[in-house]
Every structure is written in C-alpha cells, then in structure tokens.
C-alpha cells in the first residue's frame, strides 16, 4: 500500500504508514492511505519520470559523443551532422526536463 504524508507529500510504500516521515519528521497520523486508483497514478508517474530521467542521461551521452565527433573533425559533412546532433540532444534533454518540472508542480512524481 502507498501512504502519503499530508505535510510534505512524501510517499511511503509498505503495509502501514511509517512512524515518522523520513522527509519532514511528521508523525504517523499525518499519513493517509492512497486509494487503489491514486496509487496506480503515483506508480505510473514514478515510472514515467524515471523514463524522462533516463532519456536526459542518454541525451547527455549523445551530446558528448557528437562533441567528440566534432573534435575529430574528419570532414565537413560529419562535423555538420554532429553539430546538428548536439542541438537535437539538447532539445530532447530540455524537453524531458521541462516535462518533469511540470509533473512535479502538478503533484505527479
Ligand atoms: Zn512529510
């Protein structure tokens, strides 16, 4: 079951609420059990945000690879392609980060 701290929004997973909130220190009675539907949404949000974070990591890797390619400077078409890849990787990264920020502000995390 999932329990949510009504003070800070911390989500606890277990058979019952924790004695104290590990984030804000609120007592056990500040936790409310989420309904099955609410819990499903939380789990979907958790997975979706993890996917966004993984995409951000991959975009960083892509950007680093493309920058290495630019440095090697084999020929102009390669450099042009790598420069474009750097721009595209940045867009992918920023888009996922903006989406995560949007989720957090709407309580989906
Ligand atoms: Zn708390």
């Amino acid at each position: 079951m999932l329990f949510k701290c009504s003070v800070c929004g911390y989500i606890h997973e277990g058979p019952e609420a924790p004695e104290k909130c590990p984030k804000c220190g609120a007592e056990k009675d500040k936790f409310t059990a989420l309904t099955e539907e609410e819990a499903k949404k939380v789990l979907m949000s958790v997975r979706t945000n993890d996917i966004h974070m993984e995409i951000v990591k991959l975009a960083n890797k892509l950007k680093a690879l493309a920058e290495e390619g630019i440095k090697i400077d084999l020929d102009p078409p390669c450099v042009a392609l790598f420069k474009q890849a750097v721009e595209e990787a940045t867009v992918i990264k920023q888009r996922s980060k903006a989406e995560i920020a949007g989720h957090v502000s709407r309580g989906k995390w």
Side-chain angles (χ1 to χ4, degrees):
M1 278 188 71
L2 294 181
F3 298 87
K4 186 174 185 175
C5 173
S6 62
V7 178
C8 73
Y10 179 87
I11 302 277
H12 172 84
E13 193 173 355
E16 57 180 304
E19 288 308 315
K20 264 185 190 312
C21 175
K23 180 165 180 284
C24 73
E27 300 293 332
K28 191 176 187 171
D29 65 359
K30 296 287 180 199
F31 277 83
T32 49
L34 297 185
T35 64
E36 204 173 313
E37 198 176 323
E38 287 169 332
K40 204 177 147 199
K41 271 187 198 159
V42 167
L43 295 175
M44 280 164 61
S45 296
V46 166
R47 181 58 189 149
T48 300
N49 289 331
D50 281 352
I51 290 171
H52 279 303
M53 288 197 292
E54 191 64 29
I55 284 174
V56 168
K57 256 204 297 193
L58 290 171
N60 280 331
K61 204 172 167 187
L62 178 59
K63 197 174 166 210
L65 280 172
E67 281 167 349
E68 188 190 338
I70 292 169
K71 235 178 168 176
I72 292 172
D73 195 13
L74 180 67
D75 54 43
C78 275
V79 171
L81 187 154
F82 290 139
K83 280 185 175 165
Q84 202 180 338
V86 167
E87 277 175 35
E88 287 162 347
T90 304
V91 169
I92 290 169
K93 183 170 83 168
Q94 293 307 102
R95 215 165 38 198
S96 276
K97 279 162 77 178
E99 191 60 21
I100 294 171
H103 286 172
V104 170
S105 72
R106 295 195 302 277
K108 283 184 180 175
W109 72 92

